[in-house]
Amino acid sequence: MCGIIGIVGQGPVNQSLYDGLTVLQHRGQDAAGIVTYHDGRLYLRKGNGLVRDVFRARHMQELVGNIGIGHVRYPTAGSSSSAEAQPFYVNSPFGITLGHNGNLINTEALKRELFLQDRRHINTESDSEVLLNIFAQELLHQQPLHLEPEHVFNAVGAVHRRCRGAYGVVAMINGHGIVAFRDPYGIRPVVYGMRETAAGLEYMVASESVALDALGFKLIRDLAPGEAIYIDLSGHLHTRQCAEAPQYSPCIFEYVYFARPDSIIDDVFVHKARMRMGDYLGRKIMREWPDHDIDVVIPIPETSRTSALELAMRLGVKYREGFIKNRYIARTFIMPGQTERKKSVRQKLNPIGLEFQGKNVLLVDDSIVRGTTSREIVMMARDAGARRVYFASASPPVRYPNVYGIDMPAAHELIAHGRTEQEVCEAICADRLIYQDLPDLVRAVQKGNPKLARFDTAVFDGDYVTGVSPDYLAALEQRRAEGKIAVRVPRQAHIDLHNTV
């Protein structure tokens, strides 16, 4: 999962891009990058690490210009090489930089096409570089003497025809403007907004509305599936539907876990969706376990708090904060490698003993993916003196790999894959396990926007909206296994190319 941002401003945008990326930091902690345009040149800075680590004062001073894009990344195949930090750059046509959130599922076929038909070289294992070269080649096919919006939109339409998978994209065309587009299923989110300044209107695109809020931009709307937006250097905004048969199927896991609760995605308030998840889960407990003996509901920080509070209210039992989080430890879900993930759980969370001693505790989390964190937390609750430890998940069992940009591609790593709910309960050492029902999860999100008739729920039911072959899943699992070697290699130095692009 990654975060993208782009701004066409009336003054320097370097600080706004930086601030926007810090707001989107939850979407990726592995690498960050910013590229700006000024007077015919691109200025790029990217590297491994958090936004605050990649950009120092000297780097910010060199990122000159009133237009730019940015990206935060985490790897989906185990690789943390700084060579794959984004935005990527290609010099023809015009000079294009691009940042991508999502994952293509026909990358290998596209690589062959680019080499055999287009004579383009791909230098990394990133599908984002492939997507950039596809877009660049299709723009080149337009053979524009003077770039017009229709050329950009025609190129995006060709990308939709060639690329399969999930993609929220922001790109900057040297000397012309910024283009952003969303895959024909709308799996990954893209929003745009505007703000008025004394010098004129400024426009911004981003993965989540919260980035716009933080910078004082007014949210206009989400891009529709398959839609593209093009903002030229003069600040003129153009939009067009570029897909032939778009279908709204956003990733439901954005609402469960990834998006910040203060974001609005496809007209759904994430915070309220999570409230409804907790309410529906509470209703299920009352229906299936009316004589429960739960003394207290305790959330597992951070994303489950909203659901846990509503669940406690539905049950009529106490809600308490039982874990203190060390905010300086990276997310275990994002952290590459199972050993690092397991080790960090007890470093990240510390129980408040008095909230557990002698009580029957219901722990609430947004999901159970690998089960490593869940098991460790259950054991922490027992060590803190809990009499019984129950566990509730605000989402259904995660049984299938994700192929659209979330780091859960290997089925055998998912604790619920091939196991019954009771077997998962025993595996995480809980006394009872309650999962959200998939229809209730869909209702919890859909209630915010009834026009969303379908979601990508593949991690729960194996129904991939783009269609995925077993051979692709096997190849992805192998790639992940090979990528694990890379995470043990020391991180490379930051890439600083602001004078070489």
Side-chain angles (χ1 to χ4, degrees):
M1 190 61 59
C2 302
I4 59 173
I5 185 174
I7 298 177
V8 176
Q10 298 293 334
V13 296
N14 52 353
Q15 188 62 53
S16 292
L17 290 169
Y18 177 96
D19 293 341
L21 289 182
T22 60
V23 175
L24 296 175
Q25 187 76 85
H26 61 286
R27 300 187 68 86
Q29 301 172 341
D30 184 71
I34 291 175
V35 59
T36 59
Y37 166 83
H38 177 69
D39 196 22
R41 295 188 61 187
L42 299 177
Y43 298 83
L44 170 67
R45 168 67 181 176
K46 62 180 181 177
N48 275 4
L50 301 176
V51 175
R52 68 186 182 209
D53 299 323
V54 173
F55 302 100
R56 302 296 184 181
R58 67 182 185 275
H59 306 129
M60 297 299 294
Q61 292 170 359
E62 293 165 345
L63 292 170
V64 296
N66 298 352
I67 175 174
I69 65 174
H71 187 270
V72 287
R73 173 187 182 267
Y74 95 100
T76 58
S79 172
S80 58
S81 168
S82 59
E84 296 189 7
Q86 298 183 37
F88 283 117
Y89 169 79
V90 68
N91 71 336
S92 176
F94 305 112
I96 303 173
T97 56
L98 178 144
H100 165 219
N101 171 33
N103 187 61
L104 302 183
I105 63 173
N106 62 335
T107 304
E108 295 306 315
L110 292 173
K111 281 184 179 180
R112 289 192 295 271
E113 290 178 13
L114 285 168
F115 178 74
L116 296 174
Q117 299 176 19
D118 305 322
R119 299 298 188 264
R120 286 181 176 266
H121 170 69
I122 303 301
N123 199 52
T124 71
E125 294 300 316
S126 174
D127 61 327
S128 302
E129 188 187 9
V130 172
L131 198 155
L132 166 60
N133 278 271
I134 293 291
F135 175 69
Q137 188 65 26
E138 294 301 333
L139 192 60
L140 184 63
H141 284 165
Q142 303 297 311
Q143 297 183 339
L145 294 176
H146 302 285
L147 188 66
E148 299 291 342
E150 66 177 298
H151 300 133
V152 175
F153 295 139
N154 289 341
V156 173
V159 169
H160 290 331
R161 290 190 292 272
R162 295 181 67 176
C163 297
R164 293 178 57 212
Y167 45 94
V169 172
V170 62
M172 183 164 62
I173 304 173
N174 186 32
H176 294 280
I178 283 179
V179 57
F181 53 93
R182 197 174 179 188
D183 67 77
Y185 294 92
I187 299 172
R188 292 287 157 245
V190 181
V191 300
Y192 73 96
M194 60 167 283
R195 68 181 177 188
E196 295 185 15
T197 69
L201 293 179
E202 298 183 327
Y203 291 97
M204 175 177 172
V205 297
S207 291
E208 294 184 35
S209 63
V210 66
L212 277 65
D213 297 339
L215 296 178
F217 283 79
K218 179 182 178 181
L219 173 65
I220 297 177
R221 63 179 175 86
D222 299 77
L223 286 184
E227 187 181 18
I229 181 173
Y230 174 61
I231 310 161
D232 62 31
L233 293 183
S234 299
H236 297 125
L237 183 148
H238 313 266
T239 64
R240 182 181 297 178
Q241 175 55 255
C242 300
E244 296 174 356
Q247 302 178 36
Y248 237 132
S249 302
C251 174
I252 206 164
F253 217 74
E254 290 277 357
Y255 302 94
V256 171
Y257 176 79
F258 271 108
R260 274 183 39 158
D262 43 347
S263 282
I264 305 170
I265 298 179
D266 292 316
D267 294 327
V268 177
F269 287 85
V270 175
H271 175 68
K272 296 200 72 173
R274 290 176 183 169
M275 289 175 63
R276 291 188 289 267
M277 291 175 202
D279 184 65
Y280 281 125
L281 193 54
R283 291 171 185 262
K284 179 178 180 179
I285 293 174
M286 292 296 291
R287 184 172 62 250
E288 298 185 356
W289 191 18
D291 58 343
H292 69 80
D293 59 352
I294 301 168
D295 296 318
V296 62
V297 173
I298 294 178
I300 298 172
E302 301 272 351
T303 49
S304 63
R305 283 194 171 109
T306 305
S307 297
L309 180 58
E310 290 299 308
L311 188 157
M313 292 177 63
R314 172 59 62 180
L315 296 182
V317 302
K318 294 179 180 179
Y319 169 93
R320 290 288 187 269
E321 291 287 340
F323 294 100
I324 299 300
K325 183 176 181 180
N326 182 348
R327 299 180 183 276
Y328 301 97
I329 299 294
R331 274 183 173 181
T332 55
F333 182 82
I334 289 179
M335 186 174 297
Q338 187 77 352
T339 302
E340 293 92 336
R341 187 177 296 113
K342 183 174 181 179
K343 179 182 177 181
S344 73
V345 174
R346 289 181 181 260
Q347 295 174 336
K348 184 176 70 171
L349 296 176
N350 191 52
I352 302 174
L354 62 88
E355 298 294 353
F356 293 90
Q357 292 172 4
K359 299 177 182 178
N360 296 332
V361 178
L362 175 63
L363 302 178
V364 181
D365 208 350
D366 51 76
S367 58
I368 305 173
V369 180
R370 295 169 178 86
T372 307
T373 298
S374 303
R375 177 185 171 90
E376 289 295 314
I377 289 175
V378 168
M379 299 310 297
M380 289 168 65
R382 294 195 188 282
D383 293 344
R387 184 188 304 117
R388 290 180 179 274
V389 182
Y390 309 122
F391 205 101
S393 169
S395 61
V398 177
R399 301 188 188 280
Y400 302 92
N402 181 276
V403 300
Y404 301 127
I406 300 177
D407 188 18
M408 48 173 101
H412 72 270
E413 294 184 6
L414 307 174
I415 194 170
H417 181 74
R419 289 188 174 97
T420 65
E421 293 184 16
Q422 180 57 37
E423 288 171 335
V424 175
C425 180
E426 295 170 1
I428 66 172
C429 299
D431 292 297
R432 186 162 185 153
L433 173 62
I434 305 98
Y435 275 111
Q436 184 85 265
D437 291 332
L438 183 55
D440 282 344
L441 175 61
V442 170
R443 277 192 287 268
V445 180
Q446 194 176 49
K447 191 172 183 179
N449 182 2
K451 294 180 180 179
L452 298 175
R454 182 186 183 186
F455 296 89
D456 172 58
T457 57
V459 296
F460 306 123
D461 58 12
D463 181 14
Y464 297 95
V465 296
T466 64
V468 176
S469 70
D471 290 343
Y472 174 80
L473 294 177
L476 191 63
E477 185 167 341
Q478 181 179 357
R479 180 186 174 194
R480 174 174 173 77
E482 294 171 350
K484 286 182 178 178
I485 300 174
V487 303
R488 293 191 288 270
V489 178
R491 292 191 172 196
Q492 300 177 24
H494 289 303
I495 298 175
D496 195 353
L497 301 177
H498 59 274
N499 288 322
T500 61
V501 175

